[in-house]
Amino acid sequence: MSVEALFNPGSIALVGATDKSGWSISTLLNLRTYGFAGPVHLVNPRGGTVHGAPALRSLAEVPAPIDLAYVMVPTGAVLGVLREGAKLGIRCYVILTAGFGEAGPEGARLESEISAFAEENDLTILGPNGNGYINAAAGITPYGLPIPQPLLRGSVGVVLQSGALASSVLGFAQARNVGISLLTSMGNESVVSVTDVVDHLVDDPATKVIALFLETIRDPAEFSRVARRALLAGKPIVALKIGRSRLASHTAQAHTGALVGDDDVIDAALRQLGVIRVRSLEDLVITAGLLASVGPLPGRRVGVVTPSGGASEIIADRAEDEGLELPPFAPSTVARLAEIVPSFGTVQNPLDVTGYVLIDRTLLGRALEAVTADPGIDLVMLLSEPPRVAPADPAPAFALYAASARRIAESPVPVVVVSNVLTDVTEFGRAVQEETGFPYVVGGIEHGMSAIGAAVRWSAAHTRALADPASAGAPALASEEAALVGAVGVWGEHRAAALLASAGVPVVPSELVGDEAAAVAAAERFGFPVVLKTAAEGLGHKSDLGGVRLGLSSPEEVRLAYRDVVAALAGEAAALVQPQRDGGVELLVGVVRDPAWGLTLAVGLGGIWVEVLRDTALRILPVDARSVREALTELRGAALLRGVRGGEPADLDAVAEVVARVAAFAESLGDRLESLEINPLLVRGSHVEALDALVTWRT
């Protein structure tokens, strides 16, 4: 749905305008204060004087065309306003009124009537139960709460699924000198959705970065589409997604279901789509402000220039957290800095130019100039901030910041300016920035390092997307291929392994036996030692039930194991005999269906430690071998795959190829597949082999 007309009206009618409503007062005041040039018509069924101006009794009395109706009437009267407006040719509406889907069944019924009427009459409706929007770029502000002054115009588009937080976000953005292009309070999204607005912002020339506050992702497929568009267009999306749930089991039969929670899947999906997920409103605004200021960053090698040794240590710790590198300076840089930094200072990265900056006001700037020329640095972090209080003679301060701004503008690499702590930018500080061109200052080392790390990761995702635009990290949300005919319930190892082998997945040899003699004969053909397992269908955790015996080294041990397994499983006689596999690293490879995002791959340390260690990395399907290899390196236990204490390192390319093949096969099984799990997948050098498998079909 196009929302261009919604956000750019030439005339507005405030329907339900009244002196008794703070929303009505604020909306009109905002329109008058922030530059809306078109006519604003006040509509009240009683007529008379409202807000000091004559009010009309209905939309039909308005003597000119109306581009946007801002609706503040009681809940039961909203549909009547829409009917009247549709007859008059009004296509765009903001419904401030609450009492709809959020209020219970009756409200939901009324909201569904509004949605149906809007669809029948091709209406664009923002809300209900929303505060409206602030189109700062165009000076159009039909917004129902007071807008703090000054309204800073900039290039961050903000979309919020919360009316109550909108003003707080706006106020914090102002405090940190972050300008907005458009802020939208979505309300119930009965017609216009978050993705409709994001789609608009991707095409909006006034917007460079999109900031989202999300309570829910209503349509994952549509969200994936617009997120992919934004990534390819070079417009970062920064999202605060709330509602992290406890880990939920999608299927009780497989370990994978216990490891893949709703929020874990959302986290994986956002990461694949190049969406930066943050954990606080402060990080939402600060990270968006940084990306709007500097754009893509060329790499993760950071040179740090500070006037504080303590700050240098904090930055070094946080850089490691964020996966940022602080490489040693090149010899030429060290030599140049040695001529600048006082003799009691130490030339290293992070660079502490010492408190001598209080005596030599040019010291920090000259050191910055030297570090930005270092050939091994991708970007520079400068610890500085605009002044807070105006001195008696502000001219020297303006000159100093103008010189720093010039150095930053002429730098061959991006310079990110970060303050020590998170404080408001004062009116004087803002004036210094505006007059001298001093850049955006990220608020506080903690938030600054988070923002730089996020910007570096987004930049890498953007580069990958441009190199491979066909994928751009877009998850596949459903498979329409036909599932296997007659596939129902839980398939145990024998059937599941045969299914995997048919797809070219390497599976340990196995023989199905029905008595002790057959078990012994199979063991002798494989050669001792062997493993004996129950072949009973529908068992997800055979070892917990006494259905597995390992390391059987003789015919007698095989016979005893067979009897024990049969007894433990209440007379189930069918068993599997396999050669014993030792050494290597055991992995879990699972695919489970998320109800919103579809098939999700989990890879992690496997065997008996799956649910104890809970060390997994997730990806939404489809995936390729490169993405799987990247997931393997994210594991806390990745060092085991690299080889420890003389252990043979795993061939990660070989492992990734097998896992990608498993994932592709899971997709091909169609929408009846609930989960597919290999646990363990044995990895020993380049040898990769599934030792156990389980498939669960949707009922």
Side-chain angles (χ1 to χ4, degrees):
M1 169 183 291
S2 173
V3 292
E4 176 71 21
L6 172 71
F7 294 131
N8 292 279
S11 60
I12 298 174
L14 303 186
V15 186
T18 170
D19 291 324
K20 298 178 181 179
S21 167
W23 284 289
S24 181
I25 294 168
S26 293
T27 304
L28 181 60
L29 180 62
N30 291 335
L31 289 168
R32 287 175 173 171
T33 301
Y34 294 106
F36 180 63
V40 178
H41 307 283
L42 305 180
V43 177
N44 183 297
R46 294 184 177 86
T49 300
V50 176
H51 307 324
L56 304 169
R57 295 179 183 277
S58 68
L59 286 170
E61 291 186 9
V62 177
I66 299 169
D67 296 327
L68 173 69
Y70 190 91
V71 182
M72 301 174 283
V73 301
T75 307
V78 170
L79 188 56
V81 171
L82 298 182
R83 286 179 175 140
E84 181 185 22
K87 289 179 182 177
L88 297 170
I90 303 171
R91 291 286 170 258
C92 296
Y93 299 81
V94 172
I95 301 178
L96 180 97
T97 309
F100 291 93
E102 80 284 358
E106 177 59 19
R109 183 188 66 77
L110 293 173
E111 186 171 332
S112 105
E113 288 182 357
I114 286 175
S115 300
F117 184 80
E119 184 175 358
E120 291 168 7
N121 293 273
D122 193 26
L123 305 184
T124 301
I125 298 176
L126 180 64
N129 187 34
N131 289 325
Y133 65 83
I134 300 169
N135 185 347
I140 303 171
T141 53
Y143 183 72
L145 294 172
I147 298 175
Q149 294 190 28
L151 175 58
L152 301 180
R153 292 170 171 84
S155 54
V156 176
V158 183
V159 188
L160 303 111
Q161 288 179 327
S162 169
L165 289 179
S167 293
S168 296
V169 169
L170 187 63
F172 183 70
Q174 175 195 316
R176 288 307 314 163
N177 213 21
V178 175
I180 65 166
S181 56
L182 175 72
L183 181 144
T184 308
S185 171
M186 295 304 305
N188 292 4
E189 299 182 59
S190 65
V191 178
V192 173
S193 68
V194 164
T195 49
D196 292 327
V197 181
V198 173
D199 226 359
H200 167 76
L201 292 173
V202 172
D203 296 324
D204 177 25
T207 300
K208 293 181 180 178
V209 179
I210 300 164
L212 307 179
F213 176 85
L214 300 174
E215 294 174 341
T216 184
I217 297 176
R218 300 176 188 274
D219 186 340
E222 183 65 5
F223 184 88
S224 297
R225 182 188 68 79
V226 297
R228 181 173 179 271
R229 281 195 70 219
L231 184 62
L232 290 170
K235 293 196 176 183
I237 296 179
V238 185
L240 173 56
K241 169 67 179 72
I242 62 167
R244 283 182 277 166
S245 65
R246 63 180 179 82
L247 290 175
S249 175
H250 297 297
T251 168
Q253 295 294 336
H255 292 91
T256 310
L259 296 170
V260 179
D262 295 341
D263 193 67
D264 300 298
V265 176
I266 290 171
D267 210 48
L270 295 181
R271 192 182 311 114
Q272 282 176 252
L273 291 165
V275 175
I276 299 167
R277 189 175 189 185
V278 296
R279 303 293 182 184
S280 69
L281 290 171
E282 292 84 355
D283 280 328
L284 178 69
V285 172
I286 288 170
T287 304
L290 171 63
L291 281 159
S293 173
V294 302
L297 296 174
R300 61 183 62 250
R301 299 175 301 173
V302 184
V304 180
V305 180
T306 84
S308 165
S312 297
E313 293 169 1
I314 296 172
I315 291 166
D317 288 345
R318 288 291 287 114
E320 186 171 309
D321 297 340
E322 296 295 333
L324 301 171
E325 299 175 17
L326 304 181
F329 292 133
S332 58
T333 306
V334 172
R336 188 174 174 187
L337 288 170
E339 298 174 356
I340 299 171
V341 176
S343 58
F344 51 84
T346 303
V347 176
Q348 62 184 19
N349 190 19
L351 175 66
D352 169 18
V353 300
T354 78
Y356 203 72
V357 292
L358 295 175
I359 298 172
D360 181 357
R361 295 291 185 178
T362 69
L363 177 56
L364 195 66
R366 289 185 293 125
L368 171 67
E369 198 171 72
V371 173
T372 58
D374 190 293
I377 297 297
D378 296 317
L379 68 141
V380 173
M381 174 180 171
L382 172 66
L383 207 65
S384 180
E385 57 189 300
R388 297 185 56 77
V389 180
D393 179 9
F398 277 89
L400 181 64
Y401 279 89
S404 293
R406 185 173 59 255
R407 285 189 173 101
I408 292 169
E410 294 172 354
S411 169
V413 297
V415 176
V416 178
V417 184
V418 180
S419 62
N420 279 297
V421 294
L422 181 59
T423 55
D424 291 356
V425 178
T426 65
E427 185 176 343
F428 177 66
R430 186 177 296 114
V432 169
Q433 286 186 274
E434 290 174 357
E435 186 168 324
T436 65
F438 195 77
Y440 170 71
V441 178
V442 181
I445 295 173
E446 173 65 26
H447 297 289
M449 296 305 294
S450 296
I452 293 171
V456 166
R457 290 188 291 274
W458 175 83
S459 300
H462 174 54
T463 300
R464 287 195 300 268
L466 292 178
D468 183 15
S471 62
L477 302 170
S479 172
E480 299 300 330
E481 299 294 325
L484 295 180
V485 176
V488 294
V490 180
W491 283 14
E493 180 179 353
H494 184 56
R495 296 174 76 186
L499 184 64
L500 288 167
S502 71
V505 177
V507 176
V508 66
S510 181
E511 203 169 310
L512 184 66
V513 298
D515 55 44
E516 291 179 25
V520 170
E524 289 175 337
R525 281 191 290 275
F526 285 129
F528 294 101
V530 297
V531 176
L532 188 141
K533 307 175 184 177
T534 179
E537 293 284 0
L539 299 180
H541 308 288
K542 297 188 290 290
S543 59
D544 295 347
L545 302 173
V548 179
R549 294 293 185 274
L550 304 174
L552 307 177
S553 301
S554 67
E556 184 58 29
E557 288 184 7
V558 171
R559 290 190 186 93
L560 291 174
Y562 184 90
R563 293 170 198 163
D564 289 345
V565 167
V566 169
L569 274 299
E572 173 61 53
L576 295 173
V577 178
Q578 300 169 344
Q580 175 87 29
R581 300 297 199 221
D582 296 309
V585 178
E586 293 185 345
L587 296 178
L588 163 83
V589 178
V591 176
V592 66
R593 185 175 299 279
D594 180 81
W597 293 92
L599 294 178
T600 303
L601 170 71
V603 292
L605 295 183
I608 64 173
W609 301 109
V610 172
E611 289 168 352
V612 176
L613 299 177
R614 310 188 78 86
D615 184 14
T616 56
L618 304 184
R619 294 292 186 274
I620 310 299
L621 299 191
V623 295
D624 56 16
R626 180 200 58 78
S627 179
V628 173
R629 197 182 195 285
E630 184 181 75
L632 292 169
T633 63
E634 294 172 6
L635 299 175
R636 297 193 304 276
L640 295 174
L641 293 169
R642 293 192 294 268
V644 294
R645 295 190 176 181
E648 183 180 8
D651 182 343
L652 291 183
D653 290 331
V655 179
E657 287 291 345
V658 170
V659 175
R661 189 180 308 162
V662 172
F665 182 57
E667 282 190 283
S668 75
L669 294 176
D671 59 8
R672 290 182 59 196
L673 178 70
E674 179 66 33
S675 69
L676 184 157
E677 180 176 286
I678 298 172
N679 184 34
L681 180 75
L682 179 67
V683 179
R684 191 171 57 234
S686 60
H687 178 81
V688 183
E689 189 177 44
L691 303 188
D692 201 344
L694 187 75
V695 175
T696 304
W697 302 99
R698 301 170 79 185
T699 55

